[in-house]
Amino acid sequence: MPLKHSNSAPANGKSLLESLALWALVVLAIGAIGVILHLAQSAFMPVAFSLVFALVLSSPTEFLCRVGMPRTLAAVLVLVVLIALAGVLFGAVWAPARAWASAIPHTIEIIERKLGPAARVLEHVVGGVNQESASSSANRTVEFAMTASATLLGQAPAFAVNVLTIVILTLFLLAGGAPMTARVAATLTSEGKSVKVLTIVGAMRREIARYYATIAVINLGLGAATAAVMALLSLPNPLLWGATATALNFIPYAGSAVTLVILTVVSFVTFDGLGHVFAVATSFLILVTIEGQIIEPLLIGRRLKLSPTIVFLCLWFGGWFWGIAGIILAIPALVALKVVAEQSKSKNGRILFELLSPSSRKKSQFVPPKIHRAHSSDEPDVTT
């Protein structure tokens, strides 16, 4: 027995060292992939956006294929319709958006003039402000606006190339569709695992397409309601603010907050009295509350709802990692991860699904195990 015990100790120590080495390799591999994705983001961002668009647009493409249309023609038709709708919306809001962008220095001057009395009171409370720096704030604002415009113009060619790349890659992915996914799964995995991979990919495609189709309808309704309310409140360019609310509301929580700030600033610059500003902010808050607390839970349910904490963390790290593109891609990645976790039958998949779900999920799903203990013949059995 002592000899057997002494032989088992090194084996346990060796297995522990092997596990630590395996986890170290996994951490190093994830870190290396992260560094590569961060440094080569200009190459990987079009691929990531193409994958998201292909997942979202796969359902209408598959529907056209089921009614007899060739897959390539169905993919082209879906993309053409999407680009046409985007072009119409962009053309409708381009002129007022450009006007507001060119008026940024004048807008800041109006804000400074309206906040002048409050700023002077703050000067007396704090102890004074350097007048020279205060007088040069407008000049710095103009310089910032000119620098931002030059930066946007300089990045326009790269942006156009990225958009063209995304369109072409999305077309190829939609044209390949389920047959291409089956070939890739059969090549990279065994026969038994390929069926499971295809099942997970199919469920992810359906759920993400259904999720974003519902979200798109909800956001279009919110944008239409925002435009109508802003028109009733006499806020200029209501269509622009409706389009802004629609686009930003695809980013949960943070998007509606940014829209609220934009509408408040625009109403503060436009109107003289604070009553109009309060009316604009309050009306949008009411619309967002109705959308988030009533309409969205009814249409989407809680199965694909995400934890607010996880969403904020993912948006933060996505913005730090890939900037605005990371913020946009964070939510599709979370939704896809939750669908994969839901389809997984393993314990880790259930844990990940619960982690990504809101904390208000029913806790009665957890059934604690029975606790058995020794008892005499007259003592009842105790369970929990």
Side-chain angles (χ1 to χ4, degrees):
M1 292 298 293
L3 181 60
K4 186 178 295 185
H5 177 73
S6 62
N7 288 338
S8 61
N12 293 334
K14 184 178 179 181
S15 62
L16 178 61
L17 290 177
E18 290 178 350
S19 300
L20 292 176
L22 179 61
W23 277 107
L25 288 176
V26 171
V27 171
L28 289 176
I30 293 175
I33 293 173
V35 170
I36 292 174
L37 291 176
H38 180 68
L39 295 178
Q41 54 181 303
S42 59
F44 286 104
M45 275 194 298
V47 178
F49 276 105
S50 301
L51 289 173
V52 172
F53 284 129
L55 286 173
V56 174
L57 300 177
S58 60
S59 289
T61 304
E62 294 296 332
F63 172 77
L64 294 177
C65 292
R66 287 195 297 269
V67 298
M69 184 176 293
R71 185 175 296 275
T72 303
L73 182 59
V76 171
L77 180 60
V78 169
L79 279 179
V80 167
V81 171
L82 179 64
I83 293 172
L85 292 176
V88 170
L89 181 61
F90 183 78
V93 303
W94 168 248
R98 184 177 59 180
W100 277 99
S102 61
I104 287 178
H106 180 64
T107 301
I108 296 180
E109 289 179 3
I110 295 175
I111 295 175
E112 291 178 349
R113 176 169 53 82
K114 289 188 174 184
L115 293 179
R120 285 191 292 270
V121 172
L122 185 61
E123 288 179 18
H124 292 292
V125 174
V126 176
V129 181
N130 189 352
Q131 296 295 328
E132 183 179 355
S133 62
S135 62
S136 61
S137 61
N139 294 331
R140 290 198 301 268
T141 302
V142 174
E143 292 177 1
F144 173 78
M146 295 177 62
T147 303
S149 300
T151 303
L152 290 176
L153 290 176
Q155 293 180 351
F159 178 77
V161 171
N162 287 334
V163 170
L164 182 61
T165 304
I166 291 172
V167 171
I168 294 175
L169 284 177
T170 305
L171 178 61
F172 286 157
L173 291 173
L174 289 177
M180 182 179 68
T181 306
R183 290 195 299 271
V184 173
T187 303
L188 298 179
T189 60
S190 61
E191 183 177 355
K193 292 183 178 181
S194 63
V195 177
K196 184 177 181 180
V197 170
L198 289 177
T199 303
I200 294 177
V201 171
M204 183 171 62
R205 176 183 59 80
R206 291 190 302 272
E207 295 295 339
I208 290 180
R210 186 181 300 122
Y211 174 81
Y212 275 99
T214 309
I215 287 294
V217 173
I218 294 174
N219 292 348
L220 287 173
L222 176 65
T226 301
V229 172
M230 295 305 115
L232 290 175
L233 294 175
S234 302
L235 192 68
N237 310 120
L239 183 61
L240 174 62
W241 313 128
T244 302
T246 300
L248 291 180
N249 207 52
F250 279 97
I251 304 175
Y253 311 110
S256 56
V258 173
T259 306
L260 177 62
V261 172
I262 293 174
L263 291 177
T264 303
V265 171
V266 170
S267 60
F268 182 77
V269 172
T270 303
F271 304 118
D272 293 330
L274 293 179
H276 273 87
V277 179
F278 181 77
V280 169
T282 304
S283 60
F284 182 73
L285 276 176
I286 293 174
L287 291 177
V288 170
T289 302
I290 294 174
E291 177 266 335
Q293 302 299 323
I294 299 177
I295 298 177
E296 187 173 321
L298 286 176
L299 296 182
I300 295 179
R302 302 203 59 83
R303 194 163 52 84
L304 288 181
K305 292 286 288 182
L306 298 170
S307 169
T309 304
I310 299 297
V311 168
F312 275 114
L313 288 175
C314 197
L315 291 176
W316 173 266
F317 284 107
W320 170 79
F321 193 73
W322 271 7
I324 297 177
I327 294 175
I328 296 174
L329 292 172
I331 304 305
L334 282 180
V335 174
L337 187 62
K338 189 171 184 180
V339 172
V340 173
E342 183 186 20
Q343 294 296 320
S344 176
K345 305 301 181 182
S346 63
K347 179 180 178 181
N348 293 332
R350 291 194 299 271
I351 293 175
L352 180 60
F353 182 81
E354 294 296 331
L355 178 65
L356 296 176
S357 301
S359 58
S360 58
R361 287 178 55 85
K362 294 181 179 180
K363 296 183 179 180
S364 59
Q365 295 176 355
F366 175 74
V367 179
K370 293 183 178 180
I371 300 176
H372 299 278
R373 66 180 186 180
H375 55 276
S376 60
S377 59
D378 58 344
E379 182 181 2
D381 205 1
V382 179
T383 59
T384 58

